[in-house]
Amino acid sequence: MSGIKRPGLAKDPGSESTPGMDPFADTLQRLREAFVSGRTRPAEFRAAQLKGLSRFLRENKQLLQEALAQDLHKAAFQSDVSELIICQNEVDLALRNLHTWMKDEPVAKNLITQLDSVFIRREPFGLVLILSPWNYPLNLSLVPLVGALAAGERTPPPSCPLPVLKPSEISKSTEKVLAEVLPRYLDQSCFAVVLGGPEETGQLLEHEFDYIFFTGTPHVGKTIMAAAAKHLTPVTLELGGKNPCYVDDDCNPQTVANRLAFFRYYNTGQTCTAPDYVLCSPEMQARLVPALQSAITRFYGDDPQSSPNLGRIISQKHFQRLRGLLSCGRVVIGGQSDESDLYIAPTVLVDVKETDPVMQEEIFGPILPIMNVRSLDQAIDFINRREKPLALYAFSNRSQVMNQMLDRTSSGNFVGNEGFTYMTLTSLPFGGVGKSGMGRHHGKFSFDTFSHHRACLLSYSGLEMLKNIRYPPYSDCRQKLFTWAVGSHRCTLL
Ligand code: NAD
């Protein structure tokens, strides 16, 4: 594996470039040649890479926890639960299932293909680019990487996609570990870490990739998609947006408040799937606000700034943006901020208007606005008038309310009476819909994302008599017979 460094940092020996020259060209060329050369790789090659990734996670646990603490003031609990363990689970699942996933998949046949071999082969996309954000900088780099290292069919050559990983330049400490330590655990010839911000990524995107997997803002997602379109490169876009949370009158306010506060303020609200705003009646709001205060005090104490369990805002830019949002509506909990510490207190806003800035953009910080609605219908109407969210939450004791919310709305993910626990499940696809993204990953879904599903039919060179039925000159009798034979009701699985 090779790492291309930013100007000013040590350069990868294989990517030496003179000023003004494209710093990525050599490395990408080298990887592409490795892919198309069809250099034989044993099926075990991918397993070896995944085991390397597993060792990287285990042997550098403390280093990674420290890097995440430096970047986001992340508590070790959160680093473990939402970064390290999730990556480890993905690696373990891929290792356990690699041979099954790689197998050709037989599919249903009709009568005219009964004697043929018909199957789906998962071919690896060649050179794949993974662009990740800063909020879960390890998880969102390595979970897609597991899929990329695992994907493809059983038989070489070539065996797996060759991933190029570009971590976020904003979470600097984690970026450094990914660039300097991870390479020691993977095969040098099949993978590269490249570093840089928007400018370097723009240069990188001038190159042709066979697949681009992007996680980040919808705004940058459009840039990525436009760059990919120049080469007709397929993309997965894992984006963000505003995730509504409906709280019905029929539920226990303290239970709801505990769960809401936990998931809203987790990672200091810098989570793409966090509940972004609450929709509830004025009566429920009156019960919810003291319950939220109680949950916040229980989790972070009377002075949340001194709590080891609350993180910090990633940068001055985001701090200033969030501080601006504190003037929307009326602060009923929190509202304090400290620029020198990039601290914003867990905050609840009420009397918020739909037109307020806090309701115009993804908050991505520890601020929870509450908007009032008079009924479930009004809440559903409010949600449906906006972009389809990445996640939609509803709290209610009534299954009828839950079903209505599920049936009459659309979102990447839907959760009743919980937060984003579903992220821990490799059995569920993770991805947005509409403006919150396209494509999906996690578990087998990642493997499929990085594989082209090639439709294959292998027929016999003999048995021409059986094929005669389709050749001209056509007749009514042949038409009826053929139509009957291709009829979908004749489909079988062999
Ligand atoms: P971002 O879009 O600013 O950056 C993401 C990546 O794109 C980074 O690697 C960055 O270097 C690169 N980039 C930034 N600007 C670029 C440009 N102009 N041209 C080319 N590349 C550019 O996102 P972020 O601020 O790092 O992350 C926060 C966003 O990501 C939020 O909107 C959040 O909801 C979203 N997110 C989504 C998911 C998901 O799985 N759906 C997960 C985490 C975060």
Side-chain angles (χ1 to χ4, degrees):
M1 169 172 142
S2 50
I4 298 176
K5 313 292 182 187
R6 279 199 213 93
L9 296 177
K11 284 206 159 54
D12 165 51
S15 67
E16 219 32 79
S17 58
T18 46
M21 296 270 293
D22 181 343
F24 304 113
D26 288 352
T27 298
L28 298 184
Q29 180 63 23
R30 200 146 41 83
L31 287 177
R32 193 169 278 290
E33 278 168 10
F35 186 81
V36 294
S37 73
R39 195 185 313 153
T40 304
R41 302 261 191 223
E44 286 70 32
F45 174 79
R46 274 171 275 179
Q49 302 313 302
L50 292 169
K51 283 178 186 158
L53 211 48
S54 180
R55 275 196 306 116
F56 165 73
L57 289 166
R58 280 184 279 114
E59 291 174 12
N60 298 286
K61 183 174 169 175
Q62 200 181 335
L63 184 68
L64 288 163
Q65 282 177 343
E66 282 165 12
L68 291 162
Q70 278 158 18
D71 286 333
L72 288 141
H73 202 272
K74 245 181 220 203
F77 176 93
Q78 291 195 12
S79 295
D80 269 12
V81 170
S82 41
E83 305 259 13
L84 288 143
I85 292 174
I86 287 193
C87 294
Q88 189 67 58
N89 287 348
E90 289 279 343
V91 174
D92 293 346
L93 183 87
L95 277 169
R96 277 200 309 277
N97 293 286
L98 201 53
H99 284 275
T100 313
W101 291 349
M102 285 189 308
K103 278 184 192 158
D104 290 340
E105 180 186 334
V107 294
K109 298 190 261 189
N110 55 22
L111 266 184
I112 60 163
T113 52
Q114 221 26 250
L115 297 177
D116 302 330
S117 169
V118 185
F119 56 92
I120 298 169
R121 170 161 293 188
R122 285 168 176 80
E123 284 186 349
F125 285 110
L127 198 56
V128 305
L129 175 62
I130 298 169
L131 298 165
S132 56
W134 51 261
N135 62 331
Y136 291 89
L138 184 71
N139 175 330
L140 296 167
S141 295
L142 296 197
V143 169
L145 183 62
V146 171
L149 288 173
E153 86 273 32
R154 178 191 279 275
T155 42
S159 58
C160 68
L162 300 186
V164 176
L165 170 65
K166 198 214 74 69
S168 172
E169 75 287 6
I170 306 210
S171 38
K172 288 189 176 26
S173 302
T174 312
E175 180 199 41
K176 192 164 186 282
V177 179
L178 290 173
E180 292 178 5
V181 184
L182 179 62
R184 298 181 208 148
Y185 292 82
L186 296 173
D187 187 291
Q188 305 271 331
S189 64
C190 79
F191 173 56
V193 177
V194 299
L195 304 182
E199 196 188 322
E200 291 86 351
T201 311
Q203 265 183 308
L204 187 59
L205 288 166
E206 293 288 319
H207 293 272
E208 183 168 354
F209 290 89
D210 298 300
Y211 201 91
I212 299 177
F213 188 102
F214 169 80
T215 308
T217 53
H219 173 71
V220 177
K222 287 180 190 169
T223 306
I224 305 301
M225 201 164 170
K230 283 190 197 144
H231 302 289
L232 287 180
T233 300
V235 291
T236 290
L237 300 178
E238 295 279 5
L239 309 177
K242 290 186 83 62
N243 304 316
C245 175
Y246 175 65
V247 182
D248 184 33
D249 281 344
D250 186 357
C251 51
N252 180 325
Q254 193 57 62
T255 305
V256 176
N258 293 343
R259 296 178 193 180
L260 249 179
F262 178 71
F263 288 104
R264 168 73 278 189
Y265 305 120
Y266 195 89
N267 200 29
T268 329
Q270 301 167 116
T271 304
C272 58
T273 45
D276 187 275
Y277 62 93
V278 168
L279 294 172
C280 69
S281 68
E283 295 73 31
M284 175 45 78
Q285 177 181 306
R287 298 161 74 201
L288 201 53
V289 168
L292 279 165
Q293 177 67 77
S294 157
I296 290 167
T297 308
R298 179 176 150 205
F299 297 166
Y300 307 112
D302 289 327
D303 174 21
Q305 190 168 6
S306 59
S307 166
N309 302 315
L310 189 72
R312 292 297 181 266
I313 305 307
I314 186 76
S315 65
Q316 273 290 340
K317 183 180 143 204
H318 282 283
F319 175 85
Q320 299 301 347
R321 181 184 63 79
L322 287 163
R323 195 154 67 172
L325 299 181
L326 291 173
S327 58
C328 299
R330 180 166 56 91
V331 173
V332 283
I333 299 174
Q336 303 84 358
S337 61
D338 178 349
E339 185 172 349
S340 64
D341 191 22
L342 295 177
Y343 166 76
I344 292 193
T347 295
V348 176
L349 304 173
V350 297
D351 300 341
V352 172
K353 291 196 289 297
E354 199 178 338
T355 48
D356 283 341
V358 77
M359 289 305 294
Q360 306 305 310
E361 61 182 82
E362 178 183 12
I363 298 171
F364 222 55
I367 302 172
L368 182 66
I370 301 181
M371 297 268 310
N372 288 148
V373 285
R374 281 187 309 277
S375 63
L376 172 67
D377 281 348
Q378 202 186 23
I380 290 174
D381 181 54
F382 186 92
I383 293 163
N384 288 340
R385 273 191 286 118
R386 300 176 148 249
E387 303 296 354
K388 289 180 182 175
L390 179 60
L392 173 51
Y393 300 94
F395 285 89
S396 177
N397 288 332
R398 297 182 287 175
S399 57
Q400 195 197 1
V401 169
M402 205 58 83
N403 289 336
Q404 291 251 4
M405 191 52 93
L406 178 56
D407 293 348
R408 293 169 56 196
T409 58
S410 176
S411 59
N413 318 290
F414 179 84
V415 183
N417 294 319
E418 235 314 75
F420 44 83
T421 341
Y422 62 91
M423 303 274 290
T424 59
L425 292 173
T426 49
S427 49
L428 281 175
F430 179 76
V433 57
K435 299 280 195 304
S436 58
M438 61 185 72
R440 62 206 63 79
H441 74 309
H442 285 188
K444 170 76 166 22
F445 302 99
S446 300
F447 181 91
D448 283 339
T449 285
F450 287 104
S451 304
H452 161 58
H453 293 204
R454 190 177 192 184
C456 303
L457 182 149
L458 305 183
S459 198
Y460 293 92
S461 50
L463 301 175
E464 187 61 4
M465 283 296 288
L466 289 175
K467 311 243 179 199
N468 274 338
I469 171 185
R470 63 200 171 167
Y471 300 141
Y474 301 127
S475 69
D476 278 357
C477 172
R478 282 184 173 205
Q479 187 176 342
K480 276 185 192 136
L481 195 59
F482 195 77
T483 307
W484 174 74
V486 293
S488 57
H489 62 285
R490 299 275 154 217
C491 280
T492 54
L493 233 191
L494 273 195

